[in-house]
PDB file of all heavy atoms in Angstrom:
ATOM      1  N   ILE A 627      76.223 163.522 166.119  1.00 93.00           N
ATOM      2  CA  ILE A 627      77.630 163.917 165.857  1.00 93.00           C
ATOM      3  C   ILE A 627      78.329 162.835 165.036  1.00 93.00           C
ATOM      4  O   ILE A 627      79.046 163.133 164.074  1.00 93.00           O
ATOM      5  CB  ILE A 627      78.378 164.173 167.161  1.00 93.00           C
ATOM      6  CG1 ILE A 627      77.783 165.446 167.843  1.00 93.00           C
ATOM      7  CG2 ILE A 627      79.838 164.339 166.967  1.00 93.00           C
ATOM      8  CD1 ILE A 627      78.332 165.691 169.252  1.00 93.00           C
ATOM      9  N   VAL A 628      78.106 161.567 165.417  1.00 93.00           N
ATOM     10  CA  VAL A 628      78.754 160.480 164.662  1.00 93.00           C
ATOM     11  C   VAL A 628      78.243 160.446 163.240  1.00 93.00           C
ATOM     12  O   VAL A 628      78.991 160.282 162.275  1.00 93.00           O
ATOM     13  CB  VAL A 628      78.479 159.145 165.377  1.00 93.00           C
ATOM     14  CG1 VAL A 628      78.890 157.964 164.488  1.00 93.00           C
ATOM     15  CG2 VAL A 628      79.227 159.065 166.693  1.00 93.00           C
ATOM     16  N   LEU A 629      76.912 160.699 163.063  1.00 94.00           N
ATOM     17  CA  LEU A 629      76.344 160.686 161.712  1.00 94.00           C
ATOM     18  C   LEU A 629      76.903 161.836 160.862  1.00 94.00           C
ATOM     19  O   LEU A 629      77.236 161.651 159.708  1.00 94.00           O
ATOM     20  CB  LEU A 629      74.810 160.817 161.821  1.00 94.00           C
ATOM     21  CG  LEU A 629      74.060 160.801 160.491  1.00 94.00           C
ATOM     22  CD1 LEU A 629      74.230 159.468 159.787  1.00 94.00           C
ATOM     23  CD2 LEU A 629      72.602 161.131 160.704  1.00 94.00           C
ATOM     24  N   VAL A 630      77.093 162.985 161.435  1.00 94.00           N
ATOM     25  CA  VAL A 630      77.667 164.122 160.743  1.00 94.00           C
ATOM     26  C   VAL A 630      79.123 163.860 160.310  1.00 94.00           C
ATOM     27  O   VAL A 630      79.515 164.085 159.191  1.00 94.00           O
ATOM     28  CB  VAL A 630      77.539 165.413 161.579  1.00 94.00           C
ATOM     29  CG1 VAL A 630      78.354 166.542 160.952  1.00 94.00           C
ATOM     30  CG2 VAL A 630      76.079 165.818 161.717  1.00 94.00           C
ATOM     31  N   LEU A 631      79.867 163.316 161.254  1.00 93.00           N
ATOM     32  CA  LEU A 631      81.287 163.009 160.938  1.00 93.00           C
ATOM     33  C   LEU A 631      81.405 161.936 159.863  1.00 93.00           C
ATOM     34  O   LEU A 631      82.214 162.020 158.990  1.00 93.00           O
ATOM     35  CB  LEU A 631      81.996 162.569 162.221  1.00 93.00           C
ATOM     36  CG  LEU A 631      82.231 163.696 163.243  1.00 93.00           C
ATOM     37  CD1 LEU A 631      82.878 163.108 164.499  1.00 93.00           C
ATOM     38  CD2 LEU A 631      83.124 164.797 162.655  1.00 93.00           C
ATOM     39  N   GLN A 632      80.572 160.919 159.946  1.00 93.00           N
ATOM     40  CA  GLN A 632      80.614 159.863 158.896  1.00 93.00           C
ATOM     41  C   GLN A 632      80.201 160.397 157.564  1.00 93.00           C
ATOM     42  O   GLN A 632      80.800 160.035 156.512  1.00 93.00           O
ATOM     43  CB  GLN A 632      79.722 158.705 159.316  1.00 93.00           C
ATOM     44  CG  GLN A 632      80.323 157.858 160.390  1.00 93.00           C
ATOM     45  CD  GLN A 632      79.464 156.658 160.743  1.00 93.00           C
ATOM     46  OE1 GLN A 632      78.294 156.576 160.367  1.00 93.00           O
ATOM     47  NE2 GLN A 632      80.035 155.692 161.461  1.00 93.00           N
ATOM     48  N   SER A 633      79.197 161.275 157.536  1.00 92.00           N
ATOM     49  CA  SER A 633      78.774 161.837 156.254  1.00 92.00           C
ATOM     50  C   SER A 633      79.837 162.763 155.681  1.00 92.00           C
ATOM     51  O   SER A 633      80.056 162.785 154.472  1.00 92.00           O
ATOM     52  CB  SER A 633      77.441 162.567 156.415  1.00 92.00           C
ATOM     53  OG  SER A 633      77.552 163.629 157.326  1.00 92.00           O
ATOM     54  N   LEU A 634      80.542 163.514 156.508  1.00 88.00           N
ATOM     55  CA  LEU A 634      81.677 164.331 156.033  1.00 88.00           C
ATOM     56  C   LEU A 634      82.791 163.439 155.469  1.00 88.00           C
ATOM     57  O   LEU A 634      83.409 163.799 154.434  1.00 88.00           O
ATOM     58  CB  LEU A 634      82.207 165.210 157.158  1.00 88.00           C
ATOM     59  CG  LEU A 634      81.345 166.408 157.523  1.00 88.00           C
ATOM     60  CD1 LEU A 634      81.922 167.138 158.737  1.00 88.00           C
ATOM     61  CD2 LEU A 634      81.161 167.364 156.357  1.00 88.00           C
ATOM     62  N   THR A 635      83.069 162.346 156.148  1.00 88.00           N
ATOM     63  CA  THR A 635      84.099 161.402 155.641  1.00 88.00           C
ATOM     64  C   THR A 635      83.698 160.841 154.314  1.00 88.00           C
ATOM     65  O   THR A 635      84.494 160.750 153.379  1.00 88.00           O
ATOM     66  CB  THR A 635      84.306 160.274 156.679  1.00 88.00           C
ATOM     67  OG1 THR A 635      84.682 160.863 157.910  1.00 88.00           O
ATOM     68  CG2 THR A 635      85.409 159.353 156.214  1.00 88.00           C
ATOM     69  N   LEU A 636      82.453 160.422 154.172  1.00 87.00           N
ATOM     70  CA  LEU A 636      81.975 159.866 152.909  1.00 87.00           C
ATOM     71  C   LEU A 636      81.970 160.889 151.825  1.00 87.00           C
ATOM     72  O   LEU A 636      82.403 160.591 150.680  1.00 87.00           O
ATOM     73  CB  LEU A 636      80.534 159.327 153.144  1.00 87.00           C
ATOM     74  CG  LEU A 636      79.908 158.544 152.010  1.00 87.00           C
ATOM     75  CD1 LEU A 636      80.772 157.329 151.699  1.00 87.00           C
ATOM     76  CD2 LEU A 636      78.502 158.142 152.335  1.00 87.00           C
ATOM     77  N   LEU A 637      81.580 162.121 152.113  1.00 85.00           N
ATOM     78  CA  LEU A 637      81.580 163.190 151.126  1.00 85.00           C
ATOM     79  C   LEU A 637      83.013 163.486 150.642  1.00 85.00           C
ATOM     80  O   LEU A 637      83.239 163.671 149.460  1.00 85.00           O
ATOM     81  CB  LEU A 637      80.945 164.440 151.716  1.00 85.00           C
ATOM     82  CG  LEU A 637      80.865 165.677 150.819  1.00 85.00           C
ATOM     83  CD1 LEU A 637      79.941 165.350 149.620  1.00 85.00           C
ATOM     84  CD2 LEU A 637      80.402 166.862 151.567  1.00 85.00           C
ATOM     85  N   SER A 638      83.963 163.544 151.596  1.00 81.00           N
ATOM     86  CA  SER A 638      85.344 163.837 151.169  1.00 81.00           C
ATOM     87  C   SER A 638      85.955 162.710 150.316  1.00 81.00           C
ATOM     88  O   SER A 638      86.765 162.939 149.441  1.00 81.00           O
ATOM     89  CB  SER A 638      86.200 164.107 152.420  1.00 81.00           C
ATOM     90  OG  SER A 638      86.330 162.928 153.152  1.00 81.00           O
ATOM     91  N   GLN A 639      85.532 161.457 150.563  1.00 80.00           N
ATOM     92  CA  GLN A 639      86.018 160.336 149.772  1.00 80.00           C
ATOM     93  C   GLN A 639      85.418 160.400 148.355  1.00 80.00           C
ATOM     94  O   GLN A 639      86.103 160.077 147.373  1.00 80.00           O
ATOM     95  CB  GLN A 639      85.710 159.011 150.445  1.00 80.00           C
ATOM     96  CG  GLN A 639      86.551 158.738 151.633  1.00 80.00           C
ATOM     97  CD  GLN A 639      86.220 157.435 152.297  1.00 80.00           C
ATOM     98  OE1 GLN A 639      85.220 156.773 151.971  1.00 80.00           O
ATOM     99  NE2 GLN A 639      87.041 157.025 153.271  1.00 80.00           N
ATOM    100  N   TRP A 640      84.163 160.758 148.234  1.00 79.00           N
ATOM    101  CA  TRP A 640      83.524 160.842 146.931  1.00 79.00           C
ATOM    102  C   TRP A 640      84.095 161.955 146.100  1.00 79.00           C
ATOM    103  O   TRP A 640      84.256 161.852 144.906  1.00 79.00           O
ATOM    104  CB  TRP A 640      82.028 161.036 147.079  1.00 79.00           C
ATOM    105  CG  TRP A 640      81.262 159.761 147.233  1.00 79.00           C
ATOM    106  CD1 TRP A 640      81.691 158.511 146.973  1.00 79.00           C
ATOM    107  CD2 TRP A 640      79.934 159.631 147.698  1.00 79.00           C
ATOM    108  NE1 TRP A 640      80.718 157.617 147.238  1.00 79.00           N
ATOM    109  CE2 TRP A 640      79.627 158.264 147.677  1.00 79.00           C
ATOM    110  CE3 TRP A 640      78.945 160.535 148.123  1.00 79.00           C
ATOM    111  CZ2 TRP A 640      78.361 157.756 148.083  1.00 79.00           C
ATOM    112  CZ3 TRP A 640      77.727 160.055 148.519  1.00 79.00           C
ATOM    113  CH2 TRP A 640      77.454 158.680 148.496  1.00 79.00           C
ATOM    114  N   THR A 641      84.364 163.076 146.757  1.00 80.00           N
ATOM    115  CA  THR A 641      84.872 164.254 145.980  1.00 80.00           C
ATOM    116  C   THR A 641      86.379 164.171 145.746  1.00 80.00           C
ATOM    117  O   THR A 641      86.871 164.947 144.950  1.00 80.00           O
ATOM    118  CB  THR A 641      84.505 165.569 146.707  1.00 80.00           C
ATOM    119  OG1 THR A 641      85.113 165.552 148.010  1.00 80.00           O
ATOM    120  CG2 THR A 641      83.002 165.744 146.815  1.00 80.00           C
ATOM    121  N   GLY A 642      87.033 163.295 146.414  1.00 75.00           N
ATOM    122  CA  GLY A 642      88.467 163.157 146.216  1.00 75.00           C
ATOM    123  C   GLY A 642      89.277 164.177 146.971  1.00 75.00           C
ATOM    124  O   GLY A 642      90.470 164.357 146.718  1.00 75.00           O
ATOM    125  N   ASN A 643      88.695 164.849 147.937  1.00 64.00           N
ATOM    126  CA  ASN A 643      89.418 165.815 148.709  1.00 64.00           C
ATOM    127  C   ASN A 643      89.903 165.260 150.038  1.00 64.00           C
ATOM    128  O   ASN A 643      90.162 165.998 150.988  1.00 64.00           O
ATOM    129  CB  ASN A 643      88.520 167.030 148.994  1.00 64.00           C
ATOM    130  CG  ASN A 643      88.190 167.789 147.728  1.00 64.00           C
ATOM    131  OD1 ASN A 643      88.979 167.774 146.795  1.00 64.00           O
ATOM    132  ND2 ASN A 643      87.039 168.444 147.723  1.00 64.00           N
ATOM    133  N   ALA A 644      90.028 163.948 150.135  1.00 56.00           N
ATOM    134  CA  ALA A 644      90.482 163.328 151.351  1.00 56.00           C
ATOM    135  C   ALA A 644      91.944 163.668 151.552  1.00 56.00           C
ATOM    136  O   ALA A 644      92.725 163.742 150.601  1.00 56.00           O
ATOM    137  CB  ALA A 644      90.297 161.790 151.303  1.00 56.00           C
ATOM    138  N   PRO A 645      92.328 163.932 152.775  1.00 62.00           N
ATOM    139  CA  PRO A 645      93.746 164.210 153.022  1.00 62.00           C
ATOM    140  C   PRO A 645      94.620 163.000 152.689  1.00 62.00           C
ATOM    141  O   PRO A 645      94.310 161.878 153.153  1.00 62.00           O
ATOM    142  CB  PRO A 645      93.821 164.572 154.529  1.00 62.00           C
ATOM    143  CG  PRO A 645      92.570 163.963 155.121  1.00 62.00           C
ATOM    144  CD  PRO A 645      91.561 163.932 154.012  1.00 62.00           C
ATOM    145  N   GLN A 646      95.612 163.219 151.900  1.00 68.00           N
ATOM    146  CA  GLN A 646      96.482 162.105 151.511  1.00 68.00           C
ATOM    147  C   GLN A 646      97.768 162.164 152.307  1.00 68.00           C
ATOM    148  O   GLN A 646      98.376 163.237 152.437  1.00 68.00           O
ATOM    149  CB  GLN A 646      96.753 162.185 150.030  1.00 68.00           C
ATOM    150  CG  GLN A 646      95.514 162.015 149.183  1.00 68.00           C
ATOM    151  CD  GLN A 646      95.820 162.106 147.708  1.00 68.00           C
ATOM    152  OE1 GLN A 646      96.963 162.324 147.308  1.00 68.00           O
ATOM    153  NE2 GLN A 646      94.774 161.961 146.896  1.00 68.00           N
ATOM    154  N   GLN A 647      98.159 161.044 152.781  1.00 73.00           N
ATOM    155  CA  GLN A 647      99.402 160.959 153.490  1.00 73.00           C
ATOM    156  C   GLN A 647     100.453 160.260 152.607  1.00 73.00           C
ATOM    157  O   GLN A 647     100.137 159.294 151.954  1.00 73.00           O
ATOM    158  CB  GLN A 647      99.214 160.160 154.783  1.00 73.00           C
ATOM    159  CG  GLN A 647      98.279 160.811 155.779  1.00 73.00           C
ATOM    160  CD  GLN A 647      98.092 159.951 157.000  1.00 73.00           C
ATOM    161  OE1 GLN A 647      98.509 158.793 157.040  1.00 73.00           O
ATOM    162  NE2 GLN A 647      97.421 160.504 157.994  1.00 73.00           N
ATOM    163  N   ARG A 648     101.605 160.804 152.630  1.00 75.00           N
ATOM    164  CA  ARG A 648     102.699 160.201 151.854  1.00 75.00           C
ATOM    165  C   ARG A 648     103.286 159.067 152.646  1.00 75.00           C
ATOM    166  O   ARG A 648     103.462 159.133 153.845  1.00 75.00           O
ATOM    167  CB  ARG A 648     103.740 161.209 151.538  1.00 75.00           C
ATOM    168  CG  ARG A 648     103.284 162.309 150.615  1.00 75.00           C
ATOM    169  CD  ARG A 648     104.411 163.229 150.316  1.00 75.00           C
ATOM    170  NE  ARG A 648     103.976 164.275 149.454  1.00 75.00           N
ATOM    171  CZ  ARG A 648     104.282 164.399 148.184  1.00 75.00           C
ATOM    172  NH1 ARG A 648     105.081 163.504 147.622  1.00 75.00           N
ATOM    173  NH2 ARG A 648     103.848 165.385 147.449  1.00 75.00           N
ATOM    174  N   ALA A 649     103.611 158.040 151.934  1.00 71.00           N
ATOM    175  CA  ALA A 649     104.237 156.863 152.547  1.00 71.00           C
ATOM    176  C   ALA A 649     105.763 156.972 152.318  1.00 71.00           C
ATOM    177  O   ALA A 649     106.229 157.099 151.202  1.00 71.00           O
ATOM    178  CB  ALA A 649     103.708 155.571 151.959  1.00 71.00           C
ATOM    179  N   TYR A 650     106.483 156.945 153.372  1.00 71.00           N
ATOM    180  CA  TYR A 650     107.937 156.993 153.279  1.00 71.00           C
ATOM    181  C   TYR A 650     108.505 155.631 153.633  1.00 71.00           C
ATOM    182  O   TYR A 650     108.077 155.001 154.599  1.00 71.00           O
ATOM    183  CB  TYR A 650     108.500 158.057 154.216  1.00 71.00           C
ATOM    184  CG  TYR A 650     108.065 159.462 153.860  1.00 71.00           C
ATOM    185  CD1 TYR A 650     107.052 160.080 154.548  1.00 71.00           C
ATOM    186  CD2 TYR A 650     108.682 160.131 152.819  1.00 71.00           C
ATOM    187  CE1 TYR A 650     106.652 161.366 154.230  1.00 71.00           C
ATOM    188  CE2 TYR A 650     108.320 161.426 152.490  1.00 71.00           C
ATOM    189  CZ  TYR A 650     107.283 162.025 153.173  1.00 71.00           C
ATOM    190  OH  TYR A 650     106.891 163.287 152.839  1.00 71.00           O
ATOM    191  N   ALA A 651     109.442 155.201 152.865  1.00 68.00           N
ATOM    192  CA  ALA A 651     110.088 153.907 153.142  1.00 68.00           C
ATOM    193  C   ALA A 651     111.605 154.110 153.157  1.00 68.00           C
ATOM    194  O   ALA A 651     112.118 155.028 152.529  1.00 68.00           O
ATOM    195  CB  ALA A 651     109.704 152.911 152.058  1.00 68.00           C
ATOM    196  N   ASP A 652     112.253 153.220 153.874  1.00 68.00           N
ATOM    197  CA  ASP A 652     113.718 153.254 153.886  1.00 68.00           C
ATOM    198  C   ASP A 652     114.222 152.752 152.546  1.00 68.00           C
ATOM    199  O   ASP A 652     113.804 151.705 152.090  1.00 68.00           O
ATOM    200  CB  ASP A 652     114.261 152.382 154.987  1.00 68.00           C
ATOM    201  CG  ASP A 652     114.270 153.081 156.337  1.00 68.00           C
ATOM    202  OD1 ASP A 652     114.173 154.325 156.324  1.00 68.00           O
ATOM    203  OD2 ASP A 652     114.329 152.379 157.356  1.00 68.00           O
ATOM    204  N   VAL A 653     115.121 153.516 151.968  1.00 67.00           N
ATOM    205  CA  VAL A 653     115.720 153.101 150.745  1.00 67.00           C
ATOM    206  C   VAL A 653     117.002 152.365 151.138  1.00 67.00           C
ATOM    207  O   VAL A 653     117.918 152.971 151.708  1.00 67.00           O
ATOM    208  CB  VAL A 653     116.044 154.296 149.833  1.00 67.00           C
ATOM    209  CG1 VAL A 653     116.723 153.848 148.555  1.00 67.00           C
ATOM    210  CG2 VAL A 653     114.768 155.052 149.523  1.00 67.00           C
ATOM    211  N   THR A 654     117.041 151.090 150.844  1.00 71.00           N
ATOM    212  CA  THR A 654     118.226 150.315 151.209  1.00 71.00           C
ATOM    213  C   THR A 654     119.294 150.519 150.180  1.00 71.00           C
ATOM    214  O   THR A 654     119.058 150.689 148.981  1.00 71.00           O
ATOM    215  CB  THR A 654     117.890 148.814 151.325  1.00 71.00           C
ATOM    216  OG1 THR A 654     117.369 148.400 150.099  1.00 71.00           O
ATOM    217  CG2 THR A 654     116.859 148.586 152.417  1.00 71.00           C
ATOM    218  N   ASP A 655     120.493 150.453 150.654  1.00 78.00           N
ATOM    219  CA  ASP A 655     121.641 150.572 149.763  1.00 78.00           C
ATOM    220  C   ASP A 655     121.998 149.172 149.278  1.00 78.00           C
ATOM    221  O   ASP A 655     122.772 148.440 149.938  1.00 78.00           O
ATOM    222  CB  ASP A 655     122.799 151.228 150.516  1.00 78.00           C
ATOM    223  CG  ASP A 655     123.968 151.531 149.613  1.00 78.00           C
ATOM    224  OD1 ASP A 655     123.842 151.370 148.395  1.00 78.00           O
ATOM    225  OD2 ASP A 655     125.060 151.846 150.126  1.00 78.00           O
ATOM    226  N   ALA A 656     121.391 148.752 148.198  1.00 78.00           N
ATOM    227  CA  ALA A 656     121.516 147.371 147.692  1.00 78.00           C
ATOM    228  C   ALA A 656     123.000 147.064 147.340  1.00 78.00           C
ATOM    229  O   ALA A 656     123.500 145.955 147.614  1.00 78.00           O
ATOM    230  CB  ALA A 656     120.646 147.158 146.481  1.00 78.00           C
ATOM    231  N   LEU A 657     123.681 148.037 146.766  1.00 79.00           N
ATOM    232  CA  LEU A 657     125.069 147.784 146.406  1.00 79.00           C
ATOM    233  C   LEU A 657     125.961 147.543 147.592  1.00 79.00           C
ATOM    234  O   LEU A 657     126.784 146.613 147.596  1.00 79.00           O
ATOM    235  CB  LEU A 657     125.597 148.949 145.571  1.00 79.00           C
ATOM    236  CG  LEU A 657     126.996 148.797 144.967  1.00 79.00           C
ATOM    237  CD1 LEU A 657     126.987 147.606 144.016  1.00 79.00           C
ATOM    238  CD2 LEU A 657     127.387 150.057 144.242  1.00 79.00           C
ATOM    239  N   ASN A 658     125.750 148.331 148.634  1.00 83.00           N
ATOM    240  CA  ASN A 658     126.532 148.147 149.876  1.00 83.00           C
ATOM    241  C   ASN A 658     126.210 146.812 150.533  1.00 83.00           C
ATOM    242  O   ASN A 658     127.084 146.095 150.996  1.00 83.00           O
ATOM    243  CB  ASN A 658     126.255 149.315 150.818  1.00 83.00           C
ATOM    244  CG  ASN A 658     127.199 149.300 152.022  1.00 83.00           C
ATOM    245  OD1 ASN A 658     128.303 148.723 151.973  1.00 83.00           O
ATOM    246  ND2 ASN A 658     126.769 149.883 153.102  1.00 83.00           N
ATOM    247  N   THR A 659     124.950 146.450 150.556  1.00 86.00           N
ATOM    248  CA  THR A 659     124.520 145.173 151.155  1.00 86.00           C
ATOM    249  C   THR A 659     125.126 143.998 150.404  1.00 86.00           C
ATOM    250  O   THR A 659     125.623 143.031 151.000  1.00 86.00           O
ATOM    251  CB  THR A 659     123.016 145.074 151.162  1.00 86.00           C
ATOM    252  OG1 THR A 659     122.455 146.213 151.808  1.00 86.00           O
ATOM    253  CG2 THR A 659     122.528 143.816 151.862  1.00 86.00           C
ATOM    254  N   ARG A 660     125.087 144.067 149.085  1.00 89.00           N
ATOM    255  CA  ARG A 660     125.696 142.963 148.282  1.00 89.00           C
ATOM    256  C   ARG A 660     127.188 142.924 148.488  1.00 89.00           C
ATOM    257  O   ARG A 660     127.786 141.812 148.558  1.00 89.00           O
ATOM    258  CB  ARG A 660     125.358 143.171 146.816  1.00 89.00           C
ATOM    259  CG  ARG A 660     123.954 142.896 146.492  1.00 89.00           C
ATOM    260  CD  ARG A 660     123.674 142.948 144.961  1.00 89.00           C
ATOM    261  NE  ARG A 660     122.260 142.857 144.750  1.00 89.00           N
ATOM    262  CZ  ARG A 660     121.568 143.701 144.011  1.00 89.00           C
ATOM    263  NH1 ARG A 660     122.165 144.736 143.473  1.00 89.00           N
ATOM    264  NH2 ARG A 660     120.288 143.582 143.847  1.00 89.00           N
ATOM    265  N   GLY A 661     127.823 144.088 148.607  1.00 89.00           N
ATOM    266  CA  GLY A 661     129.274 144.101 148.875  1.00 89.00           C
ATOM    267  C   GLY A 661     129.638 143.456 150.163  1.00 89.00           C
ATOM    268  O   GLY A 661     130.623 142.715 150.275  1.00 89.00           O
ATOM    269  N   GLN A 662     128.830 143.705 151.196  1.00 93.00           N
ATOM    270  CA  GLN A 662     129.073 143.077 152.486  1.00 93.00           C
ATOM    271  C   GLN A 662     128.886 141.558 152.419  1.00 93.00           C
ATOM    272  O   GLN A 662     129.623 140.812 153.007  1.00 93.00           O
ATOM    273  CB  GLN A 662     128.131 143.653 153.568  1.00 93.00           C
ATOM    274  CG  GLN A 662     128.462 145.073 153.943  1.00 93.00           C
ATOM    275  CD  GLN A 662     127.438 145.667 154.894  1.00 93.00           C
ATOM    276  OE1 GLN A 662     126.363 145.084 155.118  1.00 93.00           O
ATOM    277  NE2 GLN A 662     127.763 146.802 155.482  1.00 93.00           N
ATOM    278  N   ALA A 663     127.862 141.151 151.655  1.00 93.00           N
ATOM    279  CA  ALA A 663     127.618 139.701 151.524  1.00 93.00           C
ATOM    280  C   ALA A 663     128.801 139.033 150.781  1.00 93.00           C
ATOM    281  O   ALA A 663     129.236 137.932 151.155  1.00 93.00           O
ATOM    282  CB  ALA A 663     126.314 139.449 150.795  1.00 93.00           C
ATOM    283  N   VAL A 664     129.321 139.697 149.767  1.00 95.00           N
ATOM    284  CA  VAL A 664     130.434 139.158 149.007  1.00 95.00           C
ATOM    285  C   VAL A 664     131.671 139.070 149.896  1.00 95.00           C
ATOM    286  O   VAL A 664     132.417 138.064 149.889  1.00 95.00           O
ATOM    287  CB  VAL A 664     130.696 139.999 147.760  1.00 95.00           C
ATOM    288  CG1 VAL A 664     132.054 139.635 147.119  1.00 95.00           C
ATOM    289  CG2 VAL A 664     129.596 139.855 146.750  1.00 95.00           C
ATOM    290  N   ASP A 665     131.900 140.086 150.740  1.00 96.00           N
ATOM    291  CA  ASP A 665     133.056 140.088 151.656  1.00 96.00           C
ATOM    292  C   ASP A 665     132.925 138.928 152.654  1.00 96.00           C
ATOM    293  O   ASP A 665     133.932 138.262 152.957  1.00 96.00           O
ATOM    294  CB  ASP A 665     133.170 141.410 152.383  1.00 96.00           C
ATOM    295  CG  ASP A 665     133.553 142.545 151.460  1.00 96.00           C
ATOM    296  OD1 ASP A 665     134.110 142.275 150.355  1.00 96.00           O
ATOM    297  OD2 ASP A 665     133.346 143.734 151.874  1.00 96.00           O
ATOM    298  N   GLU A 666     131.712 138.720 153.196  1.00 97.00           N
ATOM    299  CA  GLU A 666     131.543 137.624 154.139  1.00 97.00           C
ATOM    300  C   GLU A 666     131.738 136.249 153.442  1.00 97.00           C
ATOM    301  O   GLU A 666     132.299 135.329 154.051  1.00 97.00           O
ATOM    302  CB  GLU A 666     130.161 137.707 154.755  1.00 97.00           C
ATOM    303  CG  GLU A 666     130.001 138.889 155.702  1.00 97.00           C
ATOM    304  CD  GLU A 666     128.627 138.970 156.292  1.00 97.00           C
ATOM    305  OE1 GLU A 666     127.876 137.971 156.256  1.00 97.00           O
ATOM    306  OE2 GLU A 666     128.304 140.054 156.820  1.00 97.00           O
TER     307      GLU A 666
END
């Protein structure tokens, strides 16, 4: 079972059909942050 799963993983990486996950990041509000720093 482990050999079959590893071979499927290897096959999907070679063919480029690996599931891709999107990376989400927090978008900081640079203008607001700078404004707060200037006020301080």
